[in-house]
Amino acid sequence: MSDALTLLQQRHSAPSRQLGTPAPDAATLRALLEASIRVPDHGKLEPFRLIELRGDDKLRFGERLTERAIRRDPHLPESKREKERMRYTFAPLVIVVVARLNAEAGIPEIEQKLCAGNVAYNILLGAYALGFGAQWLTGWAAYDPEVAQLLGLASNECVIGFVHLGTPQAEIPDRDRPVLNTLLSQWKAPA
């Protein structure tokens, strides 16, 4: 079997809380991201962009999310407030994958979002291939208009996911995977 298929068969996400230093260095990250943006792109729209969260800015981002979470639910328990505050601090690097939707292009919005989703998946796959760990998370913050504003998103943009990157700090057991025979069928022309 080819190395590429073996990579696909072994890839798994590493929980963000179990990701530590190091993250990819600048040259490795650039190469990873350049490879990750090579995705199917109907219409060559480039309907995506990336935002890096690093260092103390990850904590500041979490603090702003906590403020927003409290506005959404003033009775939010202290434990959940702390969880929101710390959510982006475990992995040394978080890449926000953003979809940039072009309504005038004539390309369905779902295809543009899938294109951006492929960028997020390529980051996961590429990180694993390079020996790093990664996890693609969304959560309420990915869909909240105030968080979009905090990230500086335009009205035609939305968060596809927060990809946490770093080095796994523990062995990550694989999870149960789908069984192909339960998912694959063959279409036959009606008689």
Side-chain angles (χ1 to χ4, degrees), residues 93-165:
L93 174 63
V94 178
I95 303 290
V96 186
V97 180
V98 176
R100 295 186 307 178
L101 305 175
N102 183 335
E104 286 79 44
I107 308 299
E109 182 179 291
I110 185 67
E111 290 186 25
Q112 296 180 56
K113 286 183 176 179
L114 288 169
C115 180
N118 279 310
V119 172
Y121 182 69
N122 277 353
I123 296 170
L124 292 180
L125 189 59
Y128 184 77
L130 292 168
F132 293 98
Q135 187 176 30
W136 174 355
L137 297 172
T138 51
W140 69 268
Y143 309 105
D144 187 88
E146 286 188 33
V147 175
Q149 202 171 36
L150 175 63
L151 288 166
L153 303 190
S155 62
N156 68 319
E157 294 182 319
C158 62
V159 172
I160 292 296
F162 300 93
V163 181
H164 300 245
L165 287 164

Side-chain angles (χ1 to χ4, degrees), residues 21-87:
T21 57
D25 63 33
T28 303
L29 178 63
R30 182 170 186 83
L32 170 61
L33 296 179
E34 285 175 342
S36 296
I37 61 175
R38 293 179 57 101
V39 294
D41 181 2
H42 187 184
K44 300 178 187 171
L45 300 178
E46 297 175 11
F48 49 82
R49 69 183 181 97
L50 308 170
I51 301 169
E52 292 183 26
L53 300 177
R54 294 182 170 275
D56 291 340
D57 288 328
K58 293 182 303 157
L59 178 59
R60 289 186 193 103
F61 183 68
E63 288 169 346
R64 297 288 297 273
L65 290 186
T66 304
E67 293 168 7
R68 172 63 179 136
I70 293 168
R71 284 194 304 280
R72 287 169 49 113
D73 178 6
H75 304 292
L76 191 68
E78 185 57 42
S79 61
K80 290 193 177 180
R81 292 176 187 205
E82 186 63 11
K83 182 178 179 181
E84 294 299 340
R85 190 171 89 75
M86 301 305 292
R87 183 180 304 275

